[in-house]
Tab-separated table of all heavy atoms in Angstrom:
chain	number	residue	atom	x	y	z
H	109	LEU	N	118.037	139.860	73.907
H	109	LEU	CA	119.157	140.450	73.183
H	109	LEU	C	118.698	141.093	71.882
H	109	LEU	O	119.179	142.172	71.506
H	109	LEU	CB	120.224	139.390	72.909
H	109	LEU	CG	121.583	139.893	72.441
H	109	LEU	CD1	122.178	140.878	73.442
H	109	LEU	CD2	122.540	138.718	72.216
H	110	ALA	N	117.771	140.449	71.179
H	110	ALA	CA	117.266	141.033	69.927
H	110	ALA	C	116.557	142.353	70.196
H	110	ALA	O	116.753	143.341	69.473
H	110	ALA	CB	116.313	140.052	69.243
H	111	ARG	N	115.749	142.388	71.246
H	111	ARG	CA	115.038	143.618	71.605
H	111	ARG	C	116.022	144.736	71.957
H	111	ARG	O	115.876	145.878	71.513
H	111	ARG	CB	114.104	143.348	72.789
H	111	ARG	CG	113.222	144.524	73.186
H	111	ARG	CD	112.534	144.239	74.515
H	111	ARG	NE	111.714	143.055	74.463
H	111	ARG	CZ	110.463	143.028	74.021
H	111	ARG	NH1	109.896	144.143	73.581
H	111	ARG	NH2	109.772	141.911	74.012
H	112	PHE	N	117.050	144.393	72.748
H	112	PHE	CA	118.030	145.382	73.174
H	112	PHE	C	118.885	145.849	72.005
H	112	PHE	O	119.144	147.051	71.839
H	112	PHE	CB	118.917	144.771	74.267
H	112	PHE	CG	119.989	145.691	74.784
H	112	PHE	CD1	119.678	146.724	75.656
H	112	PHE	CD2	121.311	145.534	74.401
H	112	PHE	CE1	120.652	147.584	76.136
H	112	PHE	CE2	122.304	146.379	74.878
H	112	PHE	CZ	121.975	147.408	75.744
H	113	ASN	N	119.327	144.911	71.169
H	113	ASN	CA	120.232	145.240	70.075
H	113	ASN	C	119.577	146.125	69.022
H	113	ASN	O	120.250	146.940	68.381
H	113	ASN	CB	120.746	143.956	69.428
H	113	ASN	CG	121.783	144.210	68.364
H	113	ASN	OD1	121.547	144.000	67.178
H	113	ASN	ND2	122.955	144.671	68.775
H	114	ARG	N	118.267	145.987	68.863
H	114	ARG	CA	117.580	146.841	67.882
H	114	ARG	C	117.661	148.310	68.272
H	114	ARG	O	117.705	149.185	67.409
H	114	ARG	CB	116.110	146.401	67.751
H	114	ARG	CG	115.912	145.111	66.995
H	114	ARG	CD	114.476	144.941	66.554
H	114	ARG	NE	113.565	144.747	67.660
H	114	ARG	CZ	113.239	143.553	68.158
H	114	ARG	NH1	113.776	142.465	67.664
H	114	ARG	NH2	112.388	143.454	69.155
H	115	ARG	N	117.707	148.602	69.574
H	115	ARG	CA	117.755	149.993	70.032
H	115	ARG	C	119.166	150.457	70.356
H	115	ARG	O	119.458	151.640	70.276
H	115	ARG	CB	116.862	150.144	71.271
H	115	ARG	CG	115.390	149.823	71.018
H	115	ARG	CD	114.530	150.253	72.172
H	115	ARG	NE	114.547	151.713	72.347
H	115	ARG	CZ	113.872	152.360	73.276
H	115	ARG	NH1	113.133	151.687	74.140
H	115	ARG	NH2	113.939	153.660	73.383
H	116	HIS	N	120.039	149.517	70.730
H	116	HIS	CA	121.389	149.884	71.166
H	116	HIS	C	122.419	148.955	70.505
H	116	HIS	O	123.041	148.118	71.176
H	116	HIS	CB	121.490	149.804	72.690
H	116	HIS	CG	120.397	150.540	73.409
H	116	HIS	ND1	120.325	151.920	73.424
H	116	HIS	CD2	119.321	150.086	74.100
H	116	HIS	CE1	119.264	152.296	74.124
H	116	HIS	NE2	118.640	151.193	74.537
H	117	PRO	N	122.606	149.076	69.210
H	117	PRO	CA	123.436	148.113	68.471
H	117	PRO	C	124.926	148.181	68.778
H	117	PRO	O	125.660	147.264	68.410
H	117	PRO	CB	123.156	148.472	67.010
H	117	PRO	CG	122.775	149.915	67.040
H	117	PRO	CD	122.003	150.093	68.313
H	118	LEU	N	125.395	149.247	69.422
H	118	LEU	CA	126.829	149.378	69.679
H	118	LEU	C	127.242	148.917	71.078
H	118	LEU	O	128.424	148.970	71.424
H	118	LEU	CB	127.266	150.831	69.469
H	118	LEU	CG	127.077	151.397	68.053
H	118	LEU	CD1	127.638	152.799	67.969
H	118	LEU	CD2	127.714	150.490	67.014
H	119	VAL	N	126.290	148.454	71.867
H	119	VAL	CA	126.596	148.013	73.228
H	119	VAL	C	126.986	146.534	73.209
H	119	VAL	O	126.294	145.697	72.617
H	119	VAL	CB	125.398	148.221	74.171
H	119	VAL	CG1	125.701	147.681	75.562
H	119	VAL	CG2	125.049	149.702	74.248
H	120	GLU	N	128.104	146.217	73.871
H	120	GLU	CA	128.548	144.827	73.977
H	120	GLU	C	127.930	144.185	75.216
H	120	GLU	O	127.856	144.812	76.275
H	120	GLU	CB	130.067	144.756	74.082
H	120	GLU	CG	130.789	145.266	72.844
H	120	GLU	CD	132.298	145.191	73.001
H	120	GLU	OE1	132.770	144.850	74.123
H	120	GLU	OE2	133.009	145.476	72.025
H	121	VAL	N	127.512	142.937	75.076
H	121	VAL	CA	126.914	142.207	76.190
H	121	VAL	C	127.735	140.946	76.448
H	121	VAL	O	127.950	140.139	75.539
H	121	VAL	CB	125.448	141.826	75.905
H	121	VAL	CG1	124.857	141.045	77.082
H	121	VAL	CG2	124.616	143.073	75.625
H	122	ALA	N	128.212	140.779	77.683
H	122	ALA	CA	128.931	139.575	78.089
H	122	ALA	C	128.086	138.847	79.124
H	122	ALA	O	127.679	139.441	80.129
H	122	ALA	CB	130.296	139.928	78.674
H	123	ALA	N	127.798	137.573	78.876
H	123	ALA	CA	126.919	136.810	79.767
H	123	ALA	C	127.676	135.705	80.481
H	123	ALA	O	128.496	135.007	79.873
H	123	ALA	CB	125.756	136.215	78.988
H	124	THR	N	127.385	135.548	81.768
H	124	THR	CA	127.901	134.449	82.580
H	124	THR	C	126.731	133.558	82.961
H	124	THR	O	125.744	134.037	83.529
H	124	THR	CB	128.586	134.978	83.850
H	124	THR	OG1	129.720	135.763	83.486
H	124	THR	CG2	129.034	133.830	84.745
H	125	CYS	N	126.808	132.275	82.643
H	125	CYS	CA	125.733	131.330	82.941
H	125	CYS	C	126.132	130.442	84.120
H	125	CYS	O	127.049	129.620	84.000
H	125	CYS	CB	125.409	130.475	81.725
H	125	CYS	SG	124.692	131.394	80.345
H	126	GLU	N	125.461	130.642	85.244
H	126	GLU	CA	125.683	129.843	86.444
H	126	GLU	C	124.347	129.698	87.167
H	126	GLU	O	123.335	130.268	86.752
H	126	GLU	CB	126.707	130.518	87.375
H	126	GLU	CG	128.109	130.637	86.824
H	126	GLU	CD	128.854	129.320	86.771
H	126	GLU	OE1	128.310	128.316	87.283
H	126	GLU	OE2	129.974	129.292	86.226
H	127	ALA	N	124.338	128.933	88.248
H	127	ALA	CA	123.143	128.816	89.072
H	127	ALA	C	122.833	130.155	89.744
H	127	ALA	O	123.720	130.991	89.939
H	127	ALA	CB	123.332	127.731	90.132
H	128	SER	N	121.578	130.346	90.109
H	128	SER	CA	121.140	131.635	90.657
H	128	SER	C	121.922	132.052	91.889
H	128	SER	O	122.284	133.223	92.050
H	128	SER	CB	119.644	131.583	90.979
H	128	SER	OG	118.875	131.493	89.794
H	129	GLN	N	122.213	131.122	92.797
H	129	GLN	CA	122.931	131.475	94.015
H	129	GLN	C	124.360	131.923	93.704
H	129	GLN	O	124.862	132.865	94.312
H	129	GLN	CB	122.943	130.285	94.971
H	129	GLN	CG	121.572	130.025	95.609
H	129	GLN	CD	121.613	128.872	96.583
H	129	GLN	OE1	122.076	127.782	96.252
H	129	GLN	NE2	121.106	129.086	97.776
H	130	GLU	N	124.996	131.277	92.742
H	130	GLU	CA	126.353	131.664	92.359
H	130	GLU	C	126.343	133.033	91.677
H	130	GLU	O	127.231	133.866	91.901
H	130	GLU	CB	126.954	130.605	91.441
H	130	GLU	CG	127.138	129.260	92.131
H	130	GLU	CD	127.493	128.160	91.158
H	130	GLU	OE1	127.666	128.438	89.959
H	130	GLU	OE2	127.595	126.992	91.602
H	131	LEU	N	125.334	133.282	90.865
H	131	LEU	CA	125.232	134.579	90.199
H	131	LEU	C	124.989	135.690	91.219
H	131	LEU	O	125.527	136.789	91.091
H	131	LEU	CB	124.105	134.556	89.168
H	131	LEU	CG	124.330	133.669	87.948
H	131	LEU	CD1	123.078	133.650	87.079
H	131	LEU	CD2	125.536	134.130	87.141
H	132	ALA	N	124.180	135.403	92.226
H	132	ALA	CA	123.897	136.410	93.259
H	132	ALA	C	125.184	136.831	93.963
H	132	ALA	O	125.388	138.017	94.249
H	132	ALA	CB	122.890	135.862	94.266
H	133	ALA	N	126.061	135.872	94.223
H	133	ALA	CA	127.330	136.191	94.868
H	133	ALA	C	128.198	137.062	93.963
H	133	ALA	O	128.858	138.010	94.432
H	133	ALA	CB	128.072	134.901	95.223
H	134	GLN	N	128.198	136.790	92.673
H	134	GLN	CA	129.002	137.581	91.737
H	134	GLN	C	128.432	138.997	91.583
H	134	GLN	O	129.186	139.968	91.462
H	134	GLN	CB	129.063	136.885	90.382
H	134	GLN	CG	129.836	135.580	90.401
H	134	GLN	CD	130.060	135.013	89.016
H	134	GLN	OE1	130.427	135.724	88.084
H	134	GLN	NE2	129.840	133.716	88.876
H	135	VAL	N	127.111	139.114	91.595
H	135	VAL	CA	126.490	140.443	91.529
H	135	VAL	C	126.810	141.241	92.780
H	135	VAL	O	127.160	142.427	92.722
H	135	VAL	CB	124.963	140.321	91.334
H	135	VAL	CG1	124.284	141.669	91.525
H	135	VAL	CG2	124.637	139.774	89.948
H	136	SER	N	126.718	140.599	93.922
H	136	SER	CA	127.015	141.266	95.191
H	136	SER	C	128.461	141.760	95.243
H	136	SER	O	128.748	142.828	95.802
H	136	SER	CB	126.746	140.314	96.356
H	136	SER	OG	127.024	140.925	97.594
Side-chain angles (χ1 to χ4, degrees):
L109 193 57
R111 185 191 301 276
F112 179 76
N113 185 249
R114 286 197 293 270
R115 299 192 64 179
H116 309 290
L118 298 184
V119 177
E120 296 179 354
V121 179
T124 297
C125 293
E126 295 287 354
S128 292
Q129 288 182 308
E130 295 170 4
L131 292 175
Q134 293 189 45
V135 169
S136 180

